[in-house]
Amino acid sequence: MTDSHYICQVGEDLELVVKQRDHDQSVTQDGGSRPDKPVIMKVSRACIQRYTSLLDATAANHGRQEGARLVIANESIAAVKVWMEALHAQTPQHTNATIQDVWWAIHFGNKYLLGRKEGAELDDEDDEDGLKPAKDMSPLSGWFTGFYNMHKKEFKGKESDGKPRAFSVLAPAYWFDCPQIFHDATRYIAYNTTGHIENTNPTKYHDQYMRGVPDRVLSQLSAARASQRTRLEKWLPTVPATCPDRTDECLDVMVFSHKRSLLITGIKSLFSLADRKRTLNQLLDNLDKYEFSLAKIEPQHPGENINSSWSTKLCHDCTGERLSHEAAKLTSKVLSASERVRENFGGLCLDCMHKFRNGNDDDDYFMHDKRGHHDHSCRVKHGQPTWYFSYMGRKELMLRHQGKRAEERRKKNQELRGKDDGFKRMYDSLPGN
């Protein structure tokens, strides 16, 4: 057999025959057709034996040998080719790959790879904690990164069923160990989606090896998204800044005007049915249009000058320049709250997700919070919210840590107040005071 018979030649002493899965007879990105017959790859027996279970006759899912050939069936030819090139220290090409090929590469890795990723203990429901070392698929990190960068804009759209395409990126970024892509994709989902966050498998094929990200990760991402909406409600000013002479009537006018100014932006209530259907970024974009203005009310009867009496309800300090000052101040606070929420959550961190089992009783993980270095030894820069929502350990440990931190802050504040009281007593005891 000549070299022209091989679609991939990365070794010398073993022929790997791959039989395509029937339903995967699709077209390539450039319009070419997928091969519908078995193909042959020339590989290294030693390499195959070192990195995969294909030659292991005792494995549940091994290839079968037919003479000098090793035959595997029901796999994606494109995905197997990518893995053979990567395992033989070649550089696989991503230009003609599809998102289906990417997911079939996950399938092959989970099914046949031997190596597991040291320190990455978040694989699924295989033990009582749902945790065990994950298969090490990092050899395809560069391949998937190239593919993602090539199609980045497409992943910000939606599928025909309305699901965000970004959902299909989570699993590859997770399994191929691409921390920046995972960070960016989870941030995008938090700020640009509503409803249930789920794994979206574009192959439509499901078995134990076609795995998305673990459910715990999706739950934490959903919690992070909900938290930003809660923070926005907390940080938005509910009433204008008070002035010394403000009356109840004046306050009513200012509060009503503030609520009306919010309504003008399209914001009804952050937790109303209408606003729950809007993404965080849609809400924040609306808030950026906020501008406080004194409400004007339509007269109930002809000739009624209701606005003149309405304006007289303002106290003396809230008219004229004072009103302009408060309007600018309130507008600034609303825009500041919008910006704080927009910058609050950067996305989940793969490294933090895999750290929580290191150290004694999670001390190493929580030490990052105590020292204020939330991204210590992480490959992406991030703050406390990412650190918090990337925690995948037992909830009671996080609650215990938060309780300890709250108690430490309480004691520190007491000490500071004690020092202030001591300085005050010292000052009062000085002659002339």
Side-chain angles (χ1 to χ4, degrees), residues 334-402:
V334 171
L335 297 180
S336 176
S338 174
E339 186 63 22
R340 286 180 69 187
V341 172
R342 203 183 291 276
E343 300 297 325
N344 184 254
F345 177 64
L348 296 180
C349 173
L350 276 179
D351 294 322
C352 283
M353 286 163 50
H354 296 317
K355 281 177 186 172
F356 73 95
R357 290 287 290 268
N358 299 334
N360 181 24
D361 200 20
D362 290 17
D363 282 348
D364 179 62
Y365 190 88
F366 296 128
M367 192 59 67
H368 297 163
D369 187 39
K370 293 178 181 178
R371 294 172 179 168
H373 298 158
H374 297 99
D375 55 2
H376 176 68
S377 74
C378 296
R379 288 170 289 176
V380 294
K381 297 294 182 183
H382 62 77
Q384 192 273 346
T386 288
W387 170 90
Y388 176 82
F389 288 108
S390 298
Y391 176 71
M392 300 292 155
R394 297 194 299 276
K395 187 175 181 179
E396 60 267 24
L397 294 179
M398 176 60 81
L399 292 175
R400 186 175 69 186
H401 167 72
Q402 289 180 306

Side-chain angles (χ1 to χ4, degrees), residues 317-340:
D317 284 345
C318 288
T319 57
E321 292 185 4
R322 175 75 186 185
L323 179 60
S324 299
H325 174 73
E326 289 225 12
K329 191 173 182 179
L330 190 57
T331 299
S332 176
K333 285 186 174 183
V334 171
L335 297 180
S336 176
S338 174
E339 186 63 22
R340 286 180 69 187

Side-chain angles (χ1 to χ4, degrees), residues 106-161:
I106 295 174
H107 182 272
F108 182 93
N110 274 318
K111 189 173 183 179
Y112 295 114
L113 288 190
L114 294 176
R116 293 190 177 272
K117 185 176 175 61
E118 182 179 355
E121 299 176 333
L122 194 63
D123 194 347
D124 232 336
E125 304 100 5
D126 291 342
D127 64 22
E128 60 181 6
D129 293 326
L131 303 166
K132 76 174 199 177
K135 292 293 185 72
D136 185 4
M137 302 191 204
S138 58
L140 292 190
S141 176
W143 173 73
F144 176 68
T145 299
F147 169 82
Y148 174 80
N149 290 336
M150 185 176 176
H151 301 282
K152 185 182 295 187
K153 291 183 179 179
E154 298 173 24
F155 289 123
K156 293 184 178 180
K158 292 185 177 182
E159 301 291 354
S160 57
D161 59 3

